[in-house]
Amino acid sequence: MEEVVNKAKVLLGNMFVLYMKAHAYHWNYIGDNFPQYHTFFGEFYESVHDELDVVAEHIRAMDSFAPPSMSRLIELSEIKEDPQIPKPDKMFQNLYDANEEVLACLNECYELSGREKAWGWQNYVQDLITAHRKHRWMLKATMGQK
């Protein structure tokens, strides 16, 4: 079960950085379609924020502690922070790339939890995969990709 818990902590770190990117983009987007993109980023970060709490609670339910600090979450994350505010068109690509990292981590969590028979965690991960595939679709559509 230790491997499942450790991967869940990486997932929490990844999701935290994804959340922070979306929140920063919500604050800092300028340009055409500002009201729509401001709303888009806001809904995105709120969705991920809600997921963070449940992932941390699952870590606790697996008899471990959730990472206690932002620095630890960032250390665990496979997603890099933005060193500065990107240009508006790059925001969507950055968010897409980060979401792809989250999806890859979710797939690993799903496989590990199946091997370890962590069924409740696996069920929740399956729901997260569905949610982040929807994020993928929405980001691609926003960037004009099929």
Side-chain angles (χ1 to χ4, degrees):
M1 188 62 86
E2 184 177 343
E3 195 175 4
V4 173
V5 170
N6 288 338
K7 186 49 80 170
K9 290 178 182 181
V10 171
L11 175 65
L12 189 64
N14 285 341
M15 291 176 66
F16 181 81
V17 174
L18 176 67
Y19 158 79
M20 195 59 228
K21 282 179 183 285
H23 208 143
Y25 299 167
H26 170 77
W27 291 331
N28 294 304
Y29 182 85
I30 56 173
D32 294 340
N33 301 309
F34 170 80
Q36 294 86 351
Y37 293 153
H38 182 75
T39 299
F40 177 87
F41 290 132
E43 290 172 354
F44 192 100
Y45 84 72
E46 287 173 358
S47 172
V48 176
H49 181 266
D50 292 345
E51 296 165 356
L52 285 169
D53 190 56
V54 181
V55 171
E57 289 172 354
H58 273 279
I59 291 169
R60 292 293 296 127
M62 291 186 277
D63 294 325
S64 190
F65 288 101
S69 67
M70 288 189 299
S71 61
R72 182 64 180 135
L73 288 166
I74 292 166
E75 181 182 303
L76 287 164
S77 179
E78 299 159 320
I79 301 168
K80 301 298 176 218
E81 296 178 279
D82 292 323
Q84 53 191 293
I85 300 165
K87 294 192 181 293
D89 60 327
K90 187 70 174 144
M91 290 177 177
F92 293 99
Q93 186 64 53
N94 288 356
L95 210 55
Y96 176 84
D97 293 343
N99 190 67
E100 288 297 299
E101 289 284 338
V102 168
L103 275 167
C105 188
L106 283 165
N107 287 323
E108 290 177 49
C109 286
Y110 188 83
E111 294 299 323
L112 283 171
S113 60
R115 283 200 299 270
E116 294 294 323
K117 298 183 172 126
W119 306 128
W121 171 238
Q122 189 179 48
N123 287 340
Y124 182 64
V125 168
Q126 187 174 19
D127 292 341
L128 286 176
I129 289 169
T130 300
H132 284 270
R133 283 180 178 165
K134 183 176 180 182
H135 290 322
R136 172 199 281 159
W137 158 60
M138 295 180 90
L139 286 162
K140 284 176 77 173
T142 301
M143 293 186 295
Q145 298 174 5
K146 186 174 179 182

